[in-house]
Each structure stands twice: as C-alpha cells, then as structure tokens.
Amino acid sequence: PGMMFILNSADTNSQTIFHSGVGATTILQMDNTAVASDFTSSTFFQNTAPSASTVTVGTSNDTNGDGDTMTYIALANSGPYRFGEVTSNGTSGDDFIVNVDGFPQAKFVKKHDQVEGWYFSAYAIDGHNPTKYMNLDSTIAPATDVAYDHLATGFKSRDTTTSTRGSGHSLVWGAFGITPLASNNRAR
C-alpha cells in the first residue's frame, strides 16, 4: 500500500502512519509535526515494507502494542488514490508539480525532513483554483493564503511560505478522489 493508518486504541500514542515515501523503518504521526527521522526503528515493520496482501508488524508499541486493539487501514497506490514523495525546488509560487494521471479532489503534503505540519486542500472547499489549505495537525482555521492549484493531471504548489517549500526538502504527499483523464477524448 501507499499509506496505512495504525491506531493503538488502548494507548495515548499518536496515530501512526506508514507512507511509502519514507519506507518501512520510519513512521509519521498525524498529530505531530516532528521530522520523520525522529521516528526511525526496525521494530515498526521489521524492515519489511507492507505489500498488497501482507503487513508485517514489529515489536514497537506504535504498530503492535501488547494486548492493545490495533486498527490498520491500508490505501492502495492506485485507483482513486496516489501517494509519493517529491523534492522541493524552493521557487516561491512554482515549487513543484505532482502528476497523478488525473484530477485530484483532495490532497495533502507534509515536509518530512523538517519540523512542519500536514497541509490539506480540497477543491470542493474553494470550488476554484487556487485552493487554500488547512493544517491537519492543529485547530487553526484554514489559511487565507494561496497554496495549491488542482490540475487535470495532478496538483501544483503555489506556496509562497516556507511551509511546503525550500530547496531540496523532501515532502510526502497523497491525492484522493482522482478522476482519471479520458483516454479517447478528441476535439471535433
């Protein structure tokens, strides 16, 4: 899978996230702005990336708490979902373009090599480009500055802040509700 959400319901730990962009030895946490390398261990998934049919849980309480109820929600990296990693080029307002082979209804990005939040935007909220973003790991109201364009083939950063840009920074992303481009549309 491209992404998995893991919840240890008997513990106060944050929701654990596997993302294919950071691999099987690193986790992210939804309500945490920490750098991904702060959460690196072979005990999360025993150094084994989840496959379409198997998830290997390790000995970490984050992924396999003793006697705790765990919930795993896996999202495939196909169909209406896509997940990946992109490197920022640092250009204000034109930082990166992600191709997902269709129009994403919603998407998130998180800079994982620097302390930063989870930024989410949905085309339906604004109904037009550019879309504003919400910070998923806080109770702050949606931002008033412009962040993204949703494109026919993916999305483009228009961020002029350092939240999701900065030359050479790595960001994980996810796109949801992708409407694929029709392969045989022809102008007449």
Side-chain angles (χ1 to χ4, degrees), residues 91-159:
T91 304
S92 179
D94 192 22
D95 196 24
F96 59 84
I97 297 175
V98 173
N99 182 354
V100 298
D101 298 325
F103 182 87
Q105 296 299 318
K107 59 112 210 85
F108 73 82
V109 296
K110 181 188 183 344
K111 194 185 293 183
H112 69 82
D113 62 353
Q114 186 175 22
V115 173
E116 201 56 72
W118 293 82
Y119 296 97
F120 173 84
S121 71
Y123 190 78
I125 293 172
D126 293 308
H128 58 80
N129 280 326
T131 60
K132 297 173 180 68
Y133 64 84
M134 293 181 282
N135 192 328
L136 293 178
D137 52 12
S138 83
T139 57
I140 298 171
T144 56
D145 51 342
V146 172
Y148 303 97
D149 278 345
H150 290 244
L151 309 172
T153 57
F155 60 92
K156 172 185 174 181
S157 169
R158 293 179 49 129
D159 196 356

Side-chain angles (χ1 to χ4, degrees), residues 75-86:
L75 299 173
N77 204 6
S78 63
Y81 312 107
R82 297 285 190 289
F83 304 95
E85 182 180 30
V86 65

Side-chain angles (χ1 to χ4, degrees), residues 55-92:
V55 174
T56 302
V57 292
T59 57
S60 168
N61 197 47
D62 291 299
T63 56
N64 191 17
D66 188 26
D68 298 336
T69 302
M70 306 298 289
T71 303
Y72 301 89
I73 301 171
L75 299 173
N77 204 6
S78 63
Y81 312 107
R82 297 285 190 289
F83 304 95
E85 182 180 30
V86 65
T87 301
S88 171
N89 68 27
T91 304
S92 179

